[in-house]
C-alpha cells in the first residue's frame, strides 16, 4: 500500500509516460493507414470530435501556429478530408468540418486496432469505468490547458498560476 501521495506520483509518472508513448505510436499507425501525418490526423480528430470549429480554435486546441494550421487545412481540404462552411449564426465566420468518409475510415481502423480495449473495458464495474472516465477527462482538460498556454521568451510554456502579480 502506498502511504504518501508522492509515492503515488512516483509510480504514476513512468506508467503514464509509457502509456503516452504507446498511444502516440498507435495514433501514428492509424494516421499512416489513412495516408496522413500524425499531426494532420490529430488535427482531423480534433475537428471531428470538437467541430465544426473555426481555424483559430483548432490552432488553440492543437497548440500549433495559425499559419501551420492553415497549411494543414488547405492540404486536407484538397484531399477531401475537411470541408469549410459558413457559420449559420455568423456568415463572416468559417467553420471546419471533417468529411464523413474520413471519420468513418478512422472509426473502422480504431475498431480494428483497438478491439482489445473493448474486452479490457468490459472487465471493469460501472463505478470503476466511471472513475477511469473521470480521470481521463480531467487529465485531458489539464493537457489542453497546457497546450494552449502561451510560450514565454525562452520557449517555455507560461501558465497563469506561475505569473507574478504586479
Amino acid at each position: 500500500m502506498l502511504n504518501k501521495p508522492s509515492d503515488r506520483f512516483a509510480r504514476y509518472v513512468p506508467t503514464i509516460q509509457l502509456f503516452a508513448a504507446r498511444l502516440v505510436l498507435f495514433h501514428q499507425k492509424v494516421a499512416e493507414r489513412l495516408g496522413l501525418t500524425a499531426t494532420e490526423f490529430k488535427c482531423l480528430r480534433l475537428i471531428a470530435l470538437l467541430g465544426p470549429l473555426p481555424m483559430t480554435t483548432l490552432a488553440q486546441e492543437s497548440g500549433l501556429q495559425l499559419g501551420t494550421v492553415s497549411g494543414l487545412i488547405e492540404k486536407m481540404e484538397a484531399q477531401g478530408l475537411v470541408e469549410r462552411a459558413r457559420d449559420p449564426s455568423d456568415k463572416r465566420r468559417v467553420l471546419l468540418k471533417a468529411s464523413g468518409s474520413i471519420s468513418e475510415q478512422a472509426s473502422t481502423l480504431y475498431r480494428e486496432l483497438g478491439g482489445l480495449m473493448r474486452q479490457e473495458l468490459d472487465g471493469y464495474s460501472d463505478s470503476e469505468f466511471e472513475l477511469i472516465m473521470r480521470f481521463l477527462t480531467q487529465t485531458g482538460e489539464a493537457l489542453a490547458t497546457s497546450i494552449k498556454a502561451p510560450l514565454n521568451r525562452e520557449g517555455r510554456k507560461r501558465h497563469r498560476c506561475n505569473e507574478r502579480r504586479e
Side-chain angles (χ1 to χ4, degrees):
M1 183 108 187
L2 300 173
N3 298 330
K4 297 181 250 172
S6 61
D7 293 339
R8 289 181 180 180
F9 190 72
R11 184 174 169 208
Y12 166 82
V13 169
T15 302
I16 198 69
Q17 288 175 338
L18 180 59
F19 171 81
R22 288 177 173 161
L23 185 62
V24 167
L25 294 171
F26 171 78
H27 286 145
Q28 185 169 336
K29 182 171 245 10
V30 173
E32 287 171 4
R33 288 196 179 177
L34 293 170
L36 301 171
T37 67
T39 301
E40 290 167 345
F41 180 64
K42 293 314 321 171
C43 285
L44 189 60
R45 292 306 288 166
L46 286 170
I47 294 167
L49 295 168
L50 301 174
L53 67 156
M55 200 175 307
T56 54
T57 302
L58 179 59
Q60 291 168 342
E61 287 289 333
S62 65
L64 298 171
Q65 296 294 320
L66 188 56
T68 302
V69 170
S70 180
L72 287 174
I73 295 304
E74 285 180 21
K75 179 181 175 188
M76 289 192 289
E77 189 176 32
Q79 294 173 313
L81 306 174
V82 174
E83 302 162 1
R84 296 180 203 228
R86 293 274 175 209
D87 184 340
S89 62
D90 181 353
K91 299 292 184 196
R92 296 170 295 175
R93 237 169 74 152
V94 175
L95 300 175
L96 302 172
K97 181 182 175 195
S99 74
S101 64
I102 195 68
S103 294
E104 189 176 305
Q105 288 176 30
S107 294
T108 299
L109 287 173
Y110 274 122
R111 278 193 302 275
E112 176 187 315
L113 296 172
L116 294 174
M117 286 308 302
R118 184 178 302 267
Q119 285 179 292
E120 181 66 30
L121 292 172
D122 287 346
Y124 291 102
S125 69
D126 288 346
S127 62
E128 289 171 326
F129 177 74
E130 291 306 321
L131 177 65
I132 292 166
M133 294 304 293
R134 189 176 81 224
F135 173 79
L136 290 174
T137 300
Q138 291 172 346
T139 300
E141 289 169 0
L143 291 171
T145 298
S146 179
I147 289 166
K148 294 174 190 176
L151 294 174
N152 66 18
R153 284 187 224 153
E154 291 83 36
R156 293 187 301 240
K157 294 282 183 175
R158 185 179 63 212
H159 297 274
R160 285 188 184 151
C161 61
N162 294 335
E163 292 176 358
R164 290 193 177 147
R165 295 181 186 189
E166 297 181 33

